[in-house]
Amino acid sequence: MTTGKLYIISAPSGAGKTSLVKQLRAETSDLAVSVSHTTRAMRPGETDAVDYFFVAVEQFKTMIAEQAFLEHAQVFDNFYGTAQQTVETNLAQGLDVILEIDWQGAAQVKRMLPDCVSIFILPPSIEVLCQRLQNRGQDNQEIIARRMRDAVTEMSHYPEFDYLIVNDDFNLALNQLKSIIIANRLQQKRQQSLLAPLLNDLLN
């Protein structure tokens, strides 16, 4: 069986990453989105084990000590991490896997799995980013101001990623994401395994 490809998708808060990944998964076969662990509070509309595994700080720190995470980081006042076993199981089953993580986590994953593909999503402008955070209605002005400051730091790490996508037109950004996955699925190394019977017939 062909091993899947790991994709890292990062973006500043409010750039639309979560919405893009949700639609990408709905329209793309053999694609799994890794569910991260977090110590932050559950937001309205979120479901445990679907959006995140919501855990206590003590449990998260135990998992760190047990080296259970492929990557983990502190973002704002909370911890986030990706369980290594879940990712490796999905890849071994031939599924492509998406990690929605920040640049800190992306750097950790790249050191461990350098064959991964990394994608950074940008907003069309600072003004649009701020407006999107305001429109979500989830945070107070102080938190929004901090997210805006941190967004600049987050975006400064764009050179560390393989691909850049600007989420101005949602459908265009979605198609660009699909194109990256399709192109990687057509790489010779992966196709050689999938098309082994055909290649054998053609060359013999």
Side-chain angles (χ1 to χ4, degrees), residues 4-147:
K5 175 72 76 173
L6 180 63
Y7 295 87
I8 297 170
I9 300 183
S10 299
S13 181
K17 167 174 57 69
T18 300
S19 298
L20 282 169
V21 169
K22 181 179 180 181
Q23 193 61 32
L24 176 69
R25 186 182 186 187
E27 298 183 13
T28 308
S29 62
D30 298 323
L31 183 67
V33 177
S34 179
V35 179
S36 299
H37 288 68
T38 184
T39 60
R40 76 159 171 78
M42 191 183 306
R43 293 172 180 164
E46 290 183 328
T47 304
D48 186 40
V50 175
D51 298 286
Y52 286 96
F53 292 106
F54 295 95
V55 299
V57 173
E58 293 76 15
Q59 182 180 346
F60 196 98
K61 289 183 176 179
T62 297
M63 293 179 72
I64 293 175
E66 294 173 348
Q67 298 183 328
F69 291 121
L70 182 62
E71 60 80 27
H72 62 86
Q74 184 172 359
V75 182
F76 302 120
D77 299 321
N78 301 297
F79 293 95
Y80 296 80
T82 302
Q84 183 170 350
Q85 183 176 355
T86 303
V87 172
E88 292 181 345
T89 298
N90 283 328
L91 292 174
Q93 293 174 347
L95 295 174
D96 290 328
V97 178
I98 288 179
L99 299 185
E100 294 183 66
I101 54 180
D102 73 344
W103 68 269
Q104 299 175 76
Q108 293 179 52
V109 173
K110 286 182 177 183
R111 286 193 292 269
M112 296 184 67
L113 300 171
D115 192 43
C116 67
V117 174
S118 58
I119 305 165
F120 198 91
I121 298 173
L122 295 164
S125 70
I126 286 292
E127 291 76 18
V128 168
L129 183 65
C130 185
Q131 189 61 52
R132 288 176 181 174
L133 290 174
Q134 298 276 1
N135 292 343
R136 290 200 310 198
Q138 296 175 340
D139 302 312
N140 60 40
Q141 291 303 311
E142 182 181 351
I143 292 177
I144 289 174
R146 184 171 64 173
R147 289 189 185 278

